[in-house]
Protein backbone atom coordinates (compact mmCIF):
# COMPACT_ATOMS: atom_id res chain seq x y z
CA UNK A 1 0.00 0.00 0.00
CA UNK A 2 1.26 3.42 -0.86
CA UNK A 3 2.50 5.47 2.07
CA UNK A 4 0.73 8.73 2.92
CA UNK A 5 2.81 11.88 2.50
CA UNK A 6 4.15 13.28 5.75
CA UNK A 7 2.62 16.39 7.26
CA UNK A 8 5.87 18.28 6.67
CA UNK A 9 5.63 17.43 2.98
CA UNK A 10 1.98 18.46 2.89
CA UNK A 11 2.94 21.88 4.28
CA UNK A 12 5.58 22.33 1.62
CA UNK A 13 3.13 21.23 -1.09
CA UNK A 14 0.59 23.80 0.02
CA UNK A 15 3.22 26.43 -0.78
CA UNK A 16 3.78 24.94 -4.23
CA UNK A 17 2.13 26.23 -7.39
CA UNK A 18 1.80 22.79 -8.93
CA UNK A 19 0.53 20.07 -6.62
CA UNK A 20 -0.54 17.90 -9.54
CA UNK A 21 3.00 17.80 -10.93
CA UNK A 22 4.20 16.43 -7.60
CA UNK A 23 1.51 13.74 -7.58
CA UNK A 24 2.40 12.65 -11.10
CA UNK A 25 6.09 12.37 -10.22
CA UNK A 26 5.31 10.54 -6.98
CA UNK A 27 2.80 7.98 -8.18
CA UNK A 28 3.66 7.23 -11.81
CA UNK A 29 6.90 5.30 -11.09
CA UNK A 30 4.81 2.78 -9.13
CA UNK A 31 2.60 1.90 -12.09
CA UNK A 32 3.35 -1.13 -14.31
CA UNK A 33 3.81 -0.57 -18.03
CA UNK A 34 4.00 -4.03 -19.56
CA UNK A 35 1.19 -3.68 -22.12
CA UNK A 36 1.05 -1.43 -25.16
CA UNK A 37 -2.67 -1.44 -26.03
CA UNK A 38 -4.87 1.28 -24.57
CA UNK A 39 -7.39 0.11 -21.98
CA UNK A 40 -11.00 1.40 -22.01
CA UNK A 41 -10.37 3.43 -18.86
CA UNK A 42 -7.19 4.99 -20.25
CA UNK A 43 -8.86 5.78 -23.58
CA UNK A 44 -11.78 7.39 -21.75
CA UNK A 45 -9.49 9.45 -19.53
CA UNK A 46 -7.62 10.72 -22.56
CA UNK A 47 -10.81 11.63 -24.41
CA UNK A 48 -12.06 13.58 -21.38
CA UNK A 49 -8.86 15.60 -21.09
CA UNK A 50 -10.61 18.77 -22.25
CA UNK A 51 -13.91 18.09 -20.48
CA UNK A 52 -15.57 21.22 -19.16
CA UNK A 53 -17.30 19.22 -16.43
CA UNK A 54 -14.53 17.72 -14.34
CA UNK A 55 -16.93 15.17 -12.82
CA UNK A 56 -17.39 13.50 -16.20
CA UNK A 57 -13.79 12.31 -16.02
CA UNK A 58 -14.66 10.05 -13.09
CA UNK A 59 -17.24 8.11 -15.11
CA UNK A 60 -14.24 6.56 -16.86
CA UNK A 61 -13.43 4.66 -13.67
CA UNK A 62 -16.75 2.84 -13.91
CA UNK A 63 -16.28 1.60 -17.50
CA UNK A 64 -14.38 -1.57 -16.66
CA UNK A 65 -16.78 -4.28 -15.48
CA UNK A 66 -13.84 -6.02 -13.81
CA UNK A 67 -12.67 -3.23 -11.52
CA UNK A 68 -15.90 -1.26 -10.99
CA UNK A 69 -14.30 1.66 -9.16
CA UNK A 70 -17.40 3.62 -8.21
CA UNK A 71 -18.39 6.59 -6.13
CA UNK A 72 -16.06 9.38 -7.21
CA UNK A 73 -18.44 10.65 -9.90
CA UNK A 74 -21.41 10.79 -7.50
CA UNK A 75 -19.24 12.42 -4.85
CA UNK A 76 -18.02 15.07 -7.29
CA UNK A 77 -21.50 15.83 -8.63
CA UNK A 78 -22.92 16.13 -5.12
CA UNK A 79 -20.28 18.68 -4.08
CA UNK A 80 -20.68 20.77 -7.23
CA UNK A 81 -24.47 20.66 -6.85
CA UNK A 82 -24.08 22.26 -3.41
CA UNK A 83 -21.13 24.50 -4.23
CA UNK A 84 -23.05 27.78 -3.84
CA UNK A 85 -23.70 26.93 -0.20
CA UNK A 86 -20.00 26.66 0.60
CA UNK A 87 -17.78 29.55 1.67
CA UNK A 88 -15.45 31.04 -0.91
CA UNK A 89 -12.54 28.96 0.38
CA UNK A 90 -14.82 25.91 0.39
CA UNK A 91 -15.69 26.48 -3.26
CA UNK A 92 -11.99 26.77 -4.05
CA UNK A 93 -11.42 23.44 -2.30
CA UNK A 94 -14.14 21.77 -4.38
CA UNK A 95 -12.79 23.08 -7.66
CA UNK A 96 -9.14 22.56 -6.81
CA UNK A 97 -9.29 19.10 -5.26
CA UNK A 98 -11.56 17.43 -7.82
CA UNK A 99 -9.67 19.04 -10.71
CA UNK A 100 -6.45 17.79 -9.10
CA UNK A 101 -7.78 14.21 -8.95
CA UNK A 102 -9.02 14.27 -12.55
CA UNK A 103 -5.86 15.82 -14.03
CA UNK A 104 -3.57 13.49 -12.08
CA UNK A 105 -5.48 10.39 -13.19
CA UNK A 106 -5.38 11.52 -16.80
CA UNK A 107 -1.61 11.92 -16.65
CA UNK A 108 -0.51 8.81 -14.79
CA UNK A 109 -2.91 5.95 -15.54
CA UNK A 110 -0.98 3.65 -17.83
CA UNK A 111 -2.07 0.87 -20.20
CA UNK A 112 -1.70 -2.01 -17.74
CA UNK A 113 -4.84 -1.95 -15.61
CA UNK A 114 -5.41 -5.64 -15.02
CA UNK A 115 -4.61 -5.31 -11.31
CA UNK A 116 -7.80 -3.79 -9.92
CA UNK A 117 -6.46 -3.63 -6.39
CA UNK A 118 -3.50 -1.59 -7.62
CA UNK A 119 -5.75 0.76 -9.57
CA UNK A 120 -8.18 1.10 -6.67
CA UNK A 121 -5.38 1.95 -4.26
CA UNK A 122 -4.01 4.45 -6.76
CA UNK A 123 -7.36 6.26 -7.00
CA UNK A 124 -7.72 6.45 -3.22
CA UNK A 125 -4.15 7.70 -2.77
CA UNK A 126 -4.63 10.47 -5.34
CA UNK A 127 -7.96 11.37 -3.77
CA UNK A 128 -6.51 11.57 -0.25
CA UNK A 129 -3.57 13.70 -1.29
CA UNK A 130 -5.57 16.12 -3.45
CA UNK A 131 -8.16 16.59 -0.70
CA UNK A 132 -5.42 17.22 1.86
CA UNK A 133 -3.26 19.46 -0.26
CA UNK A 134 -6.13 21.77 -1.14
CA UNK A 135 -7.12 22.31 2.49
CA UNK A 136 -9.76 19.80 3.58
CA UNK A 137 -9.34 20.73 7.25
CA UNK A 138 -10.33 24.36 6.70
CA UNK A 139 -13.13 23.32 4.32
CA UNK A 140 -14.72 21.06 6.94
CA UNK A 141 -14.25 23.54 9.79
CA UNK A 142 -16.19 26.33 8.06
CA UNK A 143 -18.65 24.35 5.93
CA UNK A 144 -20.24 21.73 8.18
CA UNK A 145 -23.78 22.30 6.86
CA UNK A 146 -23.08 22.13 3.12
CA UNK A 147 -20.62 19.29 3.70
CA UNK A 148 -23.35 17.25 5.38
CA UNK A 149 -25.71 18.02 2.50
CA UNK A 150 -23.06 16.85 0.02
CA UNK A 151 -22.48 13.57 1.85
CA UNK A 152 -26.13 12.81 2.66
CA UNK A 153 -26.46 9.94 0.21
CA UNK A 154 -26.51 6.25 0.98
CA UNK A 155 -24.70 5.50 -2.30
CA UNK A 156 -21.89 7.95 -1.52
CA UNK A 157 -21.46 6.73 2.04
CA UNK A 158 -21.07 3.07 1.08
CA UNK A 159 -18.37 3.65 -1.55
CA UNK A 160 -14.65 3.59 -0.72
CA UNK A 161 -14.17 6.94 -2.42
CA UNK A 162 -16.67 8.56 -0.07
CA UNK A 163 -15.10 6.80 2.88
CA UNK A 164 -11.69 8.10 1.82
CA UNK A 165 -12.89 11.70 2.04
CA UNK A 166 -14.09 11.14 5.60
CA UNK A 167 -10.93 9.30 6.62
CA UNK A 168 -8.83 12.14 5.20
CA UNK A 169 -10.80 14.68 7.24
CA UNK A 170 -10.33 12.50 10.32
CA UNK A 171 -6.59 13.23 10.07
CA UNK A 172 -7.28 16.89 10.89
CA UNK A 173 -7.43 18.34 14.41
CA UNK A 174 -9.88 17.28 17.08
CA UNK A 175 -12.37 20.07 16.26
CA UNK A 176 -12.67 18.88 12.67
CA UNK A 177 -12.98 15.25 13.78
CA UNK A 178 -15.88 16.20 16.06
CA UNK A 179 -17.60 17.96 13.15
CA UNK A 180 -17.16 14.91 10.90
CA UNK A 181 -18.33 12.59 13.66
CA UNK A 182 -21.50 14.65 14.18
CA UNK A 183 -22.21 14.76 10.44
CA UNK A 184 -21.87 11.00 10.13
CA UNK A 185 -24.11 10.36 13.12
CA UNK A 186 -26.75 12.67 11.62
CA UNK A 187 -26.59 10.93 8.25
CA UNK A 188 -26.37 7.37 9.56
CA UNK A 189 -28.93 7.67 12.31
CA UNK A 190 -26.51 6.95 15.13
CA UNK A 191 -25.10 3.78 13.57
CA UNK A 192 -21.58 4.55 12.28
CA UNK A 193 -20.88 0.86 11.58
CA UNK A 194 -23.06 1.18 8.47
CA UNK A 195 -20.36 3.41 7.04
CA UNK A 196 -17.13 2.15 8.54
CA UNK A 197 -17.53 -1.64 8.68
CA UNK A 198 -14.68 -1.99 6.17
CA UNK A 199 -12.38 0.51 7.91
CA UNK A 200 -11.46 -0.46 11.47
CA UNK A 201 -9.22 2.56 11.97
CA UNK A 202 -12.00 4.98 11.09
CA UNK A 203 -14.49 3.07 13.24
CA UNK A 204 -12.10 3.30 16.19
CA UNK A 205 -11.74 7.06 15.75
CA UNK A 206 -15.49 7.55 15.58
CA UNK A 207 -16.13 5.43 18.66
CA UNK A 208 -13.47 7.33 20.57
CA UNK A 209 -15.00 10.67 19.68
CA UNK A 210 -18.41 9.46 20.72
CA UNK A 211 -17.39 8.92 24.33
Amino acid sequence: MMQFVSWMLVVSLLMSKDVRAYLVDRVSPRLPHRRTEISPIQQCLQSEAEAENVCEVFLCLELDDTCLIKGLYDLCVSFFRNTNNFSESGQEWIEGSFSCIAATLQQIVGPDLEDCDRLGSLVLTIEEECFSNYGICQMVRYNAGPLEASLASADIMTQKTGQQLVQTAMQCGRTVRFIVHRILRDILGGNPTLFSSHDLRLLSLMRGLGK
Side-chain angles (χ1 to χ4, degrees), residues 28-196:
S28 56
R30 300 174 180 268
L31 297 176
H33 296 284
R34 297 188 302 274
R35 300 172 61 190
T36 56
E37 65 269 23
I38 297 178
S39 69
I41 294 178
Q42 186 184 20
Q43 185 175 19
C44 180
L45 288 171
Q46 291 176 354
S47 67
E48 291 289 351
E50 302 300 327
E52 293 183 5
N53 185 351
V54 65
C55 297
E56 296 296 324
V57 174
F58 305 129
L59 284 176
C60 299
L61 298 175
E62 302 183 17
L63 283 179
D64 195 321
D65 293 334
T66 303
C67 292
L68 290 175
I69 300 175
K70 295 184 176 181
L72 198 50
Y73 172 76
D74 289 337
L75 187 68
C76 180
V77 168
S78 185
F79 270 97
F80 275 96
R81 184 182 296 125
N82 291 289
T83 188
N84 290 336
N85 297 320
F86 283 77
S87 65
E88 183 176 351
S89 62
Q91 293 177 22
E92 292 174 354
W93 177 86
I94 293 172
E95 178 67 32
S97 60
F98 283 105
S99 295
C100 171
I101 297 169
T104 306
L105 283 171
Q106 288 168 332
Q107 293 181 62
I108 69 176
V109 172
D112 192 343
L113 300 176
E114 291 183 345
D115 189 339
C116 292
D117 289 338
R118 184 189 296 268
L119 178 59
S121 296
L122 171 67
V123 171
L124 295 179
T125 297
I126 294 172
E127 181 184 354
E128 192 250 353
E129 295 187 356
C130 286
F131 286 158
S132 294
N133 296 337
Y134 279 88
I136 191 172
C137 298
Q138 182 178 6
M139 184 278 290
V140 175
R141 191 181 186 99
Y142 298 107
N143 295 277
L147 174 60
E148 180 171 343
S150 299
L151 294 177
S153 165
D155 291 337
I156 289 176
M157 302 300 281
T158 57
Q159 299 296 338
K160 289 184 178 180
T161 47
Q163 295 177 16
Q164 182 61 59
L165 183 148
V166 173
Q167 184 171 352
T168 303
M170 284 290 193
Q171 298 177 33
C172 299
R174 188 169 182 82
T175 298
V176 170
R177 294 200 301 271
F178 267 113
I179 293 172
V180 174
H181 182 265
R182 187 187 70 239
I183 288 174
L184 293 181
R185 290 189 66 87
D186 288 345
I187 293 175
L188 301 173
N191 187 3
T193 59
L194 292 175
F195 174 78
S196 54

